[in-house]
Amino acid sequence: MAALQSVRGTKDLLPNQIQDWYFIESVFRKCAEQFGYTELRTPIFEYTEVFLRGVGDTTDIVGKEMYTFDDKSGNSLTLRPEMTAALVRSVIQNSLIQQSSPTKLWYFGPFFRYERPQKGRYRQFHQFGAECLNTEFPESDLETILLANRIIKSLGIAESNLQINSLGNETVRATYKEELKNYLKQHFDKLSEDSQRRLEGNPLRVIDSKDPRDIEISANAPKLKNYFDNESADHFGFVIKSLDDLGIAYTLKDNLVRGLDYYSHTVFEFQSSYLGSQDSFGGGGRYNKLFEELGGKKAPSVGFAFGVERLLLILEQQNLLNSPAPRLDFYVMTSNSKDLPLAISYTDRLIKMGKSANYDLHRKSFKSQLKDANRLNARYVLILGEDEIQNNQIAFKNMETGEQITIAQTDFEDQISKII
Ligand code: AMP
């Protein structure tokens, strides 16, 4: 029978890669905690409605990329394509918002999008993200960028580019969208098919299209920043000035709008030249109306997400992924498999001492056990040979130095603690 394969666009996370994931996860957790964020875990699937209302049906995510299915009761469910809508659903349901104080949450886990797989783009991928909820002021936009920046630095990523833009407040954006639509309609025939389709529902997307036809038309499109009122200008001005004050480099990018419907004011993305065509490894922005869209009270918020596989691609290219191979403290050997119960009992005592320890699971020869100990990168080997057992002793071999001594079986724990 032919061996089965994993689903296209999904990857197994193999034992020799797991240390890298532990490393990256520990940096996420540490940095998020430094900024006072706590973790939220939500289910992998939600009622489809959460994403229809929370992400918006003019987006690619909802329009083309969701894994949606009916369960046996006929409920329409969707594997989460992103976290923000699901997180807001959970925060409303569990009443996690407190009046006049922020709720700061981070998450890490798998997400699912039916996209065309390529390097850096998968159908199951992982995101780390952080959301600062119930805060309307630009200080919180800044804080999320600072957290993202701290993570990038703590991971050791040498080169990354923060691109930033402001979509202004809702009033400004509504006026601008009309102006933009009028302009784009004049050039309708020259736009890409995607942009022609998006023009009515999501005209902002047209100006961040990568299609050369759209880029040409967008170059002369009206600029959103020329429509800013005082509130929009002040909000963004604060973020930019603070980044300058803190010496954090950024690029202002007029046509950065991000795919989702719900953003206002600050939006940002992180790019790296190590990544090729999928060069964005994270992004985020402010969303002020999502809570109401999902049936909650008003709670303006801001957040971002990193794609973990893309962070790993960057680290790999910088040669920063050199996790040491896993090591075993002790391998407990016997010269005769009838003595295995004794080996098991010593292994058990080592485990209780907090050490890592294995015994032979294949009833192998003495020589093969020694090979196994080497394969497992064991620091020490304990040998229970015929002679040792008869004399109530154990041989202790240091695999690094090759030195071997014999110890008495009595006071085993004390002796081991003294030697190692
Ligand atoms: P988004 O939620 O689309 O803003 O994506 C945030 C980050 O998640 C991106 O910058 C990518 O790093 C990552 N990401 C999004 N979609 C995928 C995907 N299909 N495969 C791998 N990473 C992804």
Side-chain angles (χ1 to χ4, degrees), residues 161-168 172-173 176 180 203-209 215 218-228 236 240 250-258 265-269 271:
N161 181 13
L162 164 62
Q163 304 200 311
I164 191 163
N165 188 25
S166 168
L167 302 178
V172 163
R173 216 164 42 254
Y176 174 71
L180 182 63
L204 287 181
R205 280 305 302 281
V206 178
I207 57 172
D208 87 335
S209 159
I215 293 175
S218 300
N220 296 316
K223 296 260 182 282
L224 178 52
K225 63 181 175 204
N226 296 334
Y227 292 75
F228 277 8
F236 195 46
I240 292 302
Y250 58 85
T251 311
L252 291 174
K253 200 173 172 221
D254 282 343
N255 64 342
L256 178 68
V257 301
R258 311 251 317 125
H265 290 291
T266 320
V267 288
F268 53 95
E269 237 167 60
Q271 297 187 319

Side-chain angles (χ1 to χ4, degrees), residues 113 115 120-122 125 127 258 280-282 305 307 310:
R113 293 184 195 171
E115 294 194 83
R121 202 207 271 154
Y122 314 101
F125 60 99
Q127 286 187 341
R258 311 251 317 125
S280 164
F281 63 90
R310 293 198 195 165

Side-chain angles (χ1 to χ4, degrees), residues 4-12 65 67 79 111-119 121-125:
L4 297 174
Q5 300 288 311
S6 62
V7 176
R8 183 165 134 84
T10 68
K11 288 206 296 192
D12 296 313
E65 297 170 1
Y67 279 92
L79 299 184
F111 294 86
F112 308 86
R113 293 184 195 171
Y114 189 78
E115 294 194 83
R116 195 170 49 78
Q118 62 182 83
K119 191 173 179 207
R121 202 207 271 154
Y122 314 101
R123 291 184 171 166
Q124 173 173 326
F125 60 99

Side-chain angles (χ1 to χ4, degrees), residues 120-404:
R121 202 207 271 154
Y122 314 101
R123 291 184 171 166
Q124 173 173 326
F125 60 99
H126 293 75
Q127 286 187 341
F128 164 89
E131 310 284 344
C132 184
L133 310 172
N134 199 30
T135 58
E136 62 179 312
F137 297 111
E139 292 83 330
S140 40
D141 306 30
L142 178 73
E143 188 185 70
T144 57
I145 296 173
L146 295 181
L147 168 56
N149 195 52
R150 183 91 300 270
I151 290 172
I152 292 170
K153 296 283 177 284
S154 304
L155 288 171
I157 291 177
E159 178 272 296
S160 74
N161 181 13
L162 164 62
Q163 304 200 311
I164 191 163
N165 188 25
S166 168
L167 302 178
N169 62 25
E170 217 189 330
T171 321
V172 163
R173 216 164 42 254
T175 316
Y176 174 71
K177 273 189 188 173
E178 286 312 310
E179 293 288 326
L180 182 63
K181 262 196 236 172
N182 289 338
Y183 169 82
L184 294 173
K185 276 181 193 157
Q186 292 166 25
H187 305 276
F188 190 83
D189 293 341
K190 291 192 198 132
L191 293 171
S192 69
E193 296 70 35
D194 269 350
S195 287
Q196 291 182 344
R197 202 168 31 78
R198 283 175 180 144
L199 204 157
E200 267 315 315
N202 200 349
L204 287 181
R205 280 305 302 281
V206 178
I207 57 172
D208 87 335
S209 159
K210 291 202 167 99
D211 190 300
R213 290 168 290 176
D214 301 329
I215 293 175
E216 197 182 321
I217 304 294
S218 300
N220 296 316
K223 296 260 182 282
L224 178 52
K225 63 181 175 204
N226 296 334
Y227 292 75
F228 277 8
D229 56 9
N230 285 345
E231 191 214 353
S232 304
D234 289 351
H235 190 105
F236 195 46
F238 180 91
V239 176
I240 292 302
K241 177 164 188 314
S242 307
L243 292 174
D244 287 336
D245 290 348
L246 292 163
I248 295 174
Y250 58 85
T251 311
L252 291 174
K253 200 173 172 221
D254 282 343
N255 64 342
L256 178 68
V257 301
R258 311 251 317 125
L260 308 183
D261 274 355
Y262 52 59
Y263 287 115
S264 52
H265 290 291
T266 320
V267 288
F268 53 95
E269 237 167 60
F270 292 95
Q271 297 187 319
S272 165
S273 54
Y274 285 106
L275 285 176
S277 69
Q278 300 298 311
D279 63 354
S280 164
F281 63 90
R286 169 162 288 284
Y287 50 94
N288 286 349
K289 295 199 55 177
L290 187 56
F291 273 81
E292 288 137 292
E293 297 285 338
L294 289 170
K297 291 206 195 96
K298 184 171 190 252
S301 301
V302 54
F304 70 91
F306 281 139
V308 178
E309 284 80 359
R310 293 198 195 165
L311 288 173
L312 283 161
L313 281 174
I314 300 173
L315 294 176
E316 199 177 278
Q317 296 206 27
Q318 280 186 234
N319 272 329
L320 286 178
L321 293 182
N322 40 16
S323 331
R327 294 210 70 165
L328 188 68
D329 294 327
F330 285 91
Y331 191 94
V332 187
M333 296 171 46
T334 59
S335 54
N336 194 322
S337 41
K338 78 169 173 24
D339 298 321
L340 270 167
L342 196 58
I344 294 170
S345 118
Y346 277 105
T347 306
D348 182 52
R349 289 168 72 169
L350 288 163
I351 297 274
K352 285 177 183 149
M353 289 174 72
K355 306 295 171 202
S356 57
N358 278 186
Y359 54 83
D360 168 35
L361 298 183
H362 276 111
R363 302 197 174 177
K364 283 185 183 153
S365 71
F366 189 80
K367 215 169 127 192
S368 304
Q369 288 178 58
L370 201 56
K371 270 197 198 144
D372 244 6
N374 275 317
R375 185 182 57 82
L376 293 167
N377 217 352
R379 288 191 173 86
Y380 310 107
V381 163
L382 291 185
I383 303 161
L384 291 156
E386 302 286 339
D387 290 351
E388 283 86 5
I389 294 175
Q390 220 156 45
N391 299 322
N392 261 331
Q393 291 176 323
I394 310 178
F396 172 101
K397 185 177 167 85
N398 182 328
M399 297 292 276
E400 267 150 35
T401 61
E403 204 181 329
Q404 184 167 328

